[in-house]
């Protein structure tokens, strides 16, 4: 069912823009979904994207604005007057409108707000701008359907019809008291199946899940996912119903959070995409590489300590990359499991138990891998047994050490409120490289006595 | 609002089970959400979990079954007769019931199906079992609200009330023709705001998104996310409406997909969690470590080729871990960006353009890092300039090479239908280790002439 955007289609559009064939473009884009038009605009030159945007009517353009890549949106917004932007925002839900306003420069922000036509809408948007973007307040919308517990069903249905006009998707009908405090909910299904003569206070469900305005967005996502909710009401400090969060906002947060952990594990420190500029990609990647390089300098120094052994035991130095790599791999595995467990809230039990489990695991894996190593060293490489035994004891120690560090550091970071995903990727591989080499040669020195 | 499961609470439950205080347990668990009870049961011993399960009524237990960890669910299901399982399944939506049946051993499967009371429900479940679990057919539910285009609104509302009884959440009302072919939809909002005297064929929206039964689940997730859909109808080969997929099923797929890419990048090949058994964790981790170890053996061999240079240029060998690590880090960064781009469908343009971009990026980053390296080698380490220049040329080459390989391999794998995430993590770091060392010493040999 999906419309596939082909290279040829984009070229056709570019051609029509060049020829200034506005009408043909309008016809061509008429039946195309706004999400697809946004994707096409992301691929066009700035002026071409602006040309397309000006061609379409404001119902479609408002939705397109939301779907565009941030850089392209900025280009479009810069090309519009405050009044034009306000017209777009009047088409949008309060949460989406607030997100776009938040991206504007300070001066334009005030201008746009003053140009908003619908006063209620404007008030709601200004209200939303007060909240931190990573909290329930920052992602909620003001649009919702609520009824007073003291109404009867007739009043209620009449009021709901009015309210539903402004709400894209009705999920739940919330019940409040005279002070606007959240009391419960009416399900849509009840609405379809209950006689219209019933009293609200008699039929509403008193149990209702909710979050507070200052609940963290990832926590909201976790709660909605765990309890399988499609919408959740948001209350303020006084228990008053102030907004509603729907599952589609949460999908983005879940995806972003998972992507961010992955990027950090790969040594990418900002949310970048393959299509971002080289400068942005460099900003996200270079810092981690510099960190890794300085870690590398330390490994040079550590190896330097043992350089004198090169004369009598040159073979030992052939194994340094192997030892370092195994330490890095094991550390990344351990930390990834902990980071995901912390993100999904499945880490239970004490740190000690966790470390004991990881110790047993790495002892088993390490013993197996060291066994292979001894055999290969002797039978394939034909090295002296003393080398095989030395390297394999070192390998076992490094594997155990790396897995304990990989487990311990994310847990500790999390405990002190630091994102545990920072401890994965380059950080853990680099520190395990250094420690691995140190452990390796210390053990070698003890056994071979150089 | 969320109920926090404390260690003390679990101990209290364990104590009550030991004392066989069934009534007190019932009271204690009465107001606790099934998702929380499932979480508690995941933490208990097998017999304790079974004890709790038998205590609760089937409306709650059916939902709990769905939320349990797979191993715990297996334990519970083994403790139940076919008739008891069928009773649980009668409480569930068809898609969830089918998922649970799919986990049963072959023989029990048939027994359970024959014990299902609701014949319609049983037919729907058997129908769902035919589809591959990773397709739209495998994740859809049979529960939906549909009306015939030839009905008038009165018949329609009456029919809908009946149908809505079986549907947990009404999202859209689908419109079909006499052959059950999907024609369009009615929005719930229209239902709330349209006069009841209107004719269906006059009001329904002819444009409707849909997927086919054999569409891949990740593709369904992508479409629903892109077009911001909360539910999507599923049609068969003849265009007949056969089921419906809702956003909550998709949330799990999106999360799983992102988590899987992350795990592969960390060298974990199965979907494991921190709480899984040591054996399962080993099965997921050891294969990658064995791969890395054999990669390590190759690096030993490659280094061995250049061992004779150890006598005259021992300093060179101090840099092998640094070169290998930098190659690995750059490769992981490049491949992660490509893998995420492929997952999010944001990779456009030709491979050549992609490689040229990556080349420019790595040339910039590499030149900067090599510059630091020359300075540190000379001014901090006090090595000869020839060493600094040799190592930094090698570093630049390895960075460029690693980033090109990290970009190229995932794109090629994806082109041939292999999961590109396989090319991240241990695979890319190990191969870059080996190639890095080879490039390094080949360049060193050319410059220093040993």
């Amino acid at each position: 069912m999906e419309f596939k955007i082909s290279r040829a289609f984009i070229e056709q559009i570019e051609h029509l823009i060049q020829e200034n064939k506005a009408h043909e473009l309008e016809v061509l884009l008429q039946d195309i979904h706004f999400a697809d038009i946004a994707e096409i605009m992301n691929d066009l030159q700035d002026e071409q994207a602006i040309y397309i945007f000006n061609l379409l009517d404001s119902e479609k353009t408002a939705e397109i604005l939301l779907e565009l890549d941030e850089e392209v949106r900025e280009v479009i917004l810069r090309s519009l007057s405050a009044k034009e932007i306000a017209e777009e925002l009047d088409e949008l839900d309060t949460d989406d409108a607030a997100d776009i306003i938040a991206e504007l420069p300070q001066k334009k922000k005030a201008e746009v707000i003053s140009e908003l036509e619908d006063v209620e809408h404007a008030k709601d948007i200004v209200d939303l701008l007060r909240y931190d973007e990573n909290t329930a307040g920052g992602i909620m919308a003001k649009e919702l359907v609520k009824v007073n517990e003291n109404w009867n069903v007739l009043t209620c249905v009449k009021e709901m019809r009015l309210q539903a006009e402004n709400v894209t998707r009705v999920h739940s009908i919330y019940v409040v008291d005279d002070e606007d405090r959240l009391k419960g909910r009416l399900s849509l299904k009840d609405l379809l199946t209950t006689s219209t003569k019933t009293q609200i206070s008699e039929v509403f469900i008193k149990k209702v899940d909710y979050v507070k305005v200052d609940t963290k967005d990832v926590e909201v996502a976790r709660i909605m996912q765990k309890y399988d909710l499609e919408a959740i009401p948001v209350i303020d400090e006084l228990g008053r119903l102030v907004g509603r969060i729907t599952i589609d906002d949460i999908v983005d947060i879940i995806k972003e959070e998972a992507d961010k952990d992955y990027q950090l594990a790969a040594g990418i420190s900002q949310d970048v995409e393959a299509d971002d500029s080289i400068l942005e990609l460099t900003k996200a990647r270079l810092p981690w590489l510099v960190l890794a390089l300085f870690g590398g300098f330390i490994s040079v120094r550590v190896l330097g300590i043992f350089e004198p052994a090169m004369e009598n035991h040159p073979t030992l130095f052939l194994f340094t990359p192997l030892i370092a790599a195994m330490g890095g791999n094991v550390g990344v595995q351990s930390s990834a499991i902990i980071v995901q467990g912390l993100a999904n809230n499945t880490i239970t039990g004490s740190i000690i138990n966790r470390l004991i489990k990881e110790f047993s695991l790495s002892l088993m894996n390490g013993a197996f891998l060291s066994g292979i190593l001894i055999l290969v060293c002797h039978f394939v490489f034909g090295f002296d047994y003393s080398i095989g035994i030395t390297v394999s004891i070192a390998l076992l120690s490094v594997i155990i050490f790396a897995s304990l560090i990989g487990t311990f550091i994310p847990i500790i970071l999390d405990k002190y409120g630091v994102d545990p995903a920072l401890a994965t990727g380059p950080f853990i591989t680099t520190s395990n490289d250094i420690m691995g080499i140190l452990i390796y040669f210390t053990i070698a020195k003890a056994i071979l006595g150089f």
Side-chain angles (χ1 to χ4, degrees), chain A:
Chain A
M1 56 131 271
E2 196 200 12
F3 170 74
K4 287 269 175 215
I5 301 163
S6 65
R7 192 64 235 158
F9 189 76
I10 291 182
E11 273 161 21
Q12 188 187 354
I13 288 177
E14 286 175 327
H15 182 75
L16 288 173
I17 295 173
Q18 222 158 16
E19 307 270 295
N20 196 17
K21 298 204 165 150
H23 180 67
E24 285 179 41
L25 266 170
E26 276 179 82
V27 173
L28 190 66
L29 295 175
Q30 198 162 31
D31 285 330
I32 296 181
H33 192 283
F34 57 79
D36 289 314
I37 297 184
E39 220 173 287
I40 293 168
M41 284 172 63
N42 286 337
D43 277 352
L44 295 176
Q45 307 286 334
D46 289 356
E47 305 76 47
Q48 295 177 326
I50 294 172
Y51 185 96
I52 296 279
F53 193 85
N54 290 330
L55 218 60
L56 303 166
D57 56 21
S58 75
E59 205 181 317
K60 215 162 189 177
T61 49
E63 297 288 348
I64 289 175
L65 264 188
L66 281 182
E67 300 286 331
L68 286 175
D69 279 354
E70 213 176 309
E71 312 84 62
V72 185
R73 181 162 53 237
E74 209 190 305
V75 166
I76 301 287
L77 290 175
R78 246 188 287 124
S79 80
L80 299 176
S81 70
K83 195 172 159 54
E84 284 167 327
I85 295 176
E87 278 166 14
E88 301 289 344
L89 299 186
D90 271 324
E91 298 283 335
L92 292 175
D93 280 353
T94 47
D95 56 339
D96 296 328
D99 288 347
I100 288 184
I101 290 187
E103 284 178 19
L104 293 173
Q106 207 56 43
K107 197 174 144 266
K108 203 156 187 180
K109 226 180 253 186
E111 280 174 34
V112 169
I113 291 170
S114 72
E115 293 281 359
L116 285 169
E117 273 206 348
D118 181 338
V119 183
E120 276 304 310
H121 200 226
K123 255 173 32 191
D124 284 344
I125 293 172
V126 172
D127 189 34
L128 288 180
L129 286 171
R130 290 191 298 126
Y131 300 105
D132 178 345
E133 59 168 333
N134 298 319
T135 63
I139 49 175
M140 72 184 182
K142 288 299 209 172
E143 286 84 1
L144 51 81
V145 178
K146 67 178 175 187
V147 297
N148 191 304
E149 58 174 345
N150 300 321
W151 291 348
N152 59 34
V153 172
L154 272 181
T155 325
C156 172
V157 169
K158 229 187 296 162
E159 280 288 332
M160 272 171 46
R161 289 197 178 193
L162 283 176
Q163 294 180 23
E165 291 283 352
N166 295 316
V167 180
T168 321
R169 288 159 183 160
V170 180
H171 282 93
S172 268
I173 300 129
Y174 300 115
V175 180
V176 294
D177 64 11
D178 290 335
E179 309 295 328
D180 231 14
R181 281 184 297 235
L182 180 67
K183 286 291 160 186
R185 63 187 166 89
L186 275 173
S187 80
L188 262 179
K189 201 178 132 186
D190 292 340
L191 182 81
L192 277 173
T193 51
T194 307
S195 134
T196 44
K197 281 167 194 143
T198 330
Q199 200 77 20
I200 293 293
S201 52
E202 282 170 31
V203 289
F204 84 85
I205 305 158
K206 295 209 172 54
K207 223 175 146 166
V208 59
D209 295 309
Y210 60 84
V211 289
K212 299 197 175 134
V213 276
D214 57 358
T215 305
K216 281 254 182 314
D217 57 357
V218 288
E219 181 65 14
V220 177
R222 218 179 52 67
I223 290 172
M224 290 185 71
Q225 224 186 328
K226 177 171 175 187
Y227 298 119
D228 232 349
L229 307 172
E230 300 210 334
I232 195 164
V234 183
I235 61 168
D236 69 5
E237 299 75 8
L238 301 174
R240 290 177 305 191
L241 178 62
V242 290
R244 181 189 69 153
I245 295 169
T246 50
I247 185 87
D248 53 312
D249 302 315
I250 292 306
V251 168
D252 296 338
I253 290 168
I254 291 170
K255 181 100 181 70
E256 269 167 32
E257 197 61 16
D259 280 356
K260 198 204 67 198
D261 283 356
Y262 179 30
Q263 293 199 326
L264 280 176
I268 304 166
S269 56
Q270 286 174 27
D271 189 20
V272 286
E273 280 179 21
D275 278 336
D276 286 346
S277 70
I278 292 188
L279 187 71
E280 271 175 297
L281 286 166
T282 298
K283 272 201 291 189
R285 293 170 61 166
L286 194 56
W288 285 111
L289 294 180
V290 171
L291 175 84
L293 182 66
F294 279 87
F297 290 144
I298 300 176
S299 73
V300 171
R301 267 287 150 97
V302 171
L303 263 179
I305 303 170
F306 300 100
E307 194 184 331
M310 229 181 257
E311 209 169 312
N312 293 319
H313 303 286
T315 320
L316 283 181
F317 286 81
L318 305 183
F319 285 92
T320 42
L322 183 149
I323 295 280
M326 291 305 287
N329 280 319
V330 170
V332 168
Q333 284 184 337
S334 305
S335 61
I337 286 185
I338 295 296
V339 167
Q340 263 191 351
L342 289 168
N344 299 337
N345 231 19
T346 56
I347 302 282
T348 49
S350 67
I351 299 189
I352 295 298
N353 285 335
R354 185 70 40 200
L355 290 176
I356 290 173
K357 183 172 179 184
E358 194 63 26
F359 176 79
S360 328
L361 181 82
S362 56
L363 189 65
M364 269 175 51
N365 286 350
F368 179 76
L369 295 165
S370 299
I372 298 181
L373 184 82
I374 290 192
L375 297 177
V376 170
C377 274
H378 189 70
F379 293 106
V380 181
F381 293 159
F383 293 148
D384 197 82
Y385 260 129
S386 68
I387 292 288
I389 291 170
T390 305
V391 177
S392 59
I393 291 175
L395 180 65
L396 179 61
S397 315
V398 168
I399 286 176
I400 292 173
F401 176 82
S403 68
L404 292 181
I405 288 293
T407 303
F408 186 70
I409 292 185
I411 293 182
I412 290 300
L413 286 184
D414 186 62
K415 207 156 200 152
Y416 290 98
V418 181
D419 186 347
L422 278 173
T424 54
F427 179 82
I428 214 94
T429 49
T430 303
S431 52
N432 278 340
D433 269 10
I434 300 167
M435 287 309 298
I437 292 168
L438 191 60
I439 291 171
Y440 172 39
F441 279 99
T442 307
I443 287 174
K445 195 171 181 179
I447 294 178
L448 302 173
F450 48 81

